[in-house]
Amino acid sequence: MALSTAAEIARRTLGKPAHELDEEEAQVIADIESGQLSARDAADVADETSTWGEKLADRVAAVGGSWGFIITFSVILLGWMLLNSDVLSHFGMAFDPYPYIFLNLMLSTLAAIQAPVIMMSQNRQSAKDRLAASLDYRTNLRAEIDILRLHHKLDNAVTERLDTLEAKIDGLAKALGQS
């Protein structure tokens, strides 16, 4: 007997009625019943729902958290200090002499903007991780349900085969008993 309805699938594989299933279980059962694949890439799903600001935060965090940015930024800072301490100060044209007050203002502004943007990106990554865990759970549940359904099919096939063999043996026993 093939499992066909969501209620039967829920009862036989998960051991509870369809109305007691949580959202993920119900979705997996619906996917099985409709014959749809339920495995999806979490990154693709997250990207489908992300806003422009979230994508920007991800890009800023990717750039700001790279060695390329750190090295480039260090070279720029060192160049700024050398330019204002040695080169331009000899000509009396240093626009931000030591103690580099303007540089400090720019660094503070950058840190004040960059830190929350990186935190937004980390929050988004946490949401992606939760989504990935949910999709993994659905995939695992689907696989487990499919395995249980296959076990049920095999059990039924073996039982039917044994019943057929038993009937044949009984028939042969009766035939031998009558002769």
Side-chain angles (χ1 to χ4, degrees):
M1 171 179 151
L3 295 176
S4 58
T5 67
E8 280 185 71
I9 295 171
R11 186 178 50 77
R12 291 212 179 172
T13 59
L14 299 175
K16 52 185 166 181
H19 68 275
E20 288 183 8
L21 299 177
D22 64 30
E23 182 182 335
E24 289 173 325
E25 292 170 337
Q27 184 61 48
V28 168
I29 297 293
D31 288 346
I32 289 171
E33 192 174 32
S34 68
Q36 289 181 334
L37 296 176
S38 57
R40 295 184 299 168
D41 183 19
D44 291 342
V45 173
D47 288 342
E48 290 170 4
T49 60
S50 64
T51 64
W52 180 83
E54 290 171 334
K55 290 177 185 177
L56 178 64
D58 286 345
R59 284 193 290 270
V60 168
V63 171
S66 68
W67 279 109
F69 175 80
I70 292 170
I71 292 168
T72 302
F73 199 66
S74 297
V75 168
I76 290 171
L77 290 177
L78 185 60
W80 179 284
M81 290 184 263
L82 286 174
L83 186 68
N84 279 290
S85 296
D86 288 337
V87 177
L88 294 178
S89 63
H90 286 318
F91 302 109
M93 298 173 48
F95 58 89
D96 188 24
Y98 182 80
Y100 314 114
I101 294 171
F102 185 61
L103 178 63
N104 270 330
L105 174 66
M106 290 191 323
L107 291 175
S108 297
T109 303
L110 177 68
I113 292 170
Q114 192 178 24
V117 169
I118 290 172
M119 288 175 64
M120 284 188 285
S121 180
Q122 288 175 339
N123 289 340
R124 183 165 144 69
Q125 186 59 46
S126 294
K128 280 183 181 179
D129 291 343
R130 285 190 300 276
L131 177 62
S134 173
L135 292 175
D136 286 347
Y137 171 74
R138 284 184 182 187
T139 301
N140 292 339
L141 181 62
R142 170 80 182 253
E144 190 172 344
I145 289 171
D146 284 341
I147 289 168
L148 289 171
R149 291 176 68 211
L150 284 173
H151 275 284
H152 182 72
K153 271 185 176 177
L154 285 173
D155 289 346
N156 284 344
V158 167
T159 301
E160 288 174 12
R161 179 81 179 203
L162 287 174
D163 288 345
T164 303
L165 288 173
E166 188 178 355
K168 286 181 181 180
I169 290 172
D170 287 346
L172 286 173
K174 284 182 185 177
L176 287 175
Q178 290 177 354
S179 44

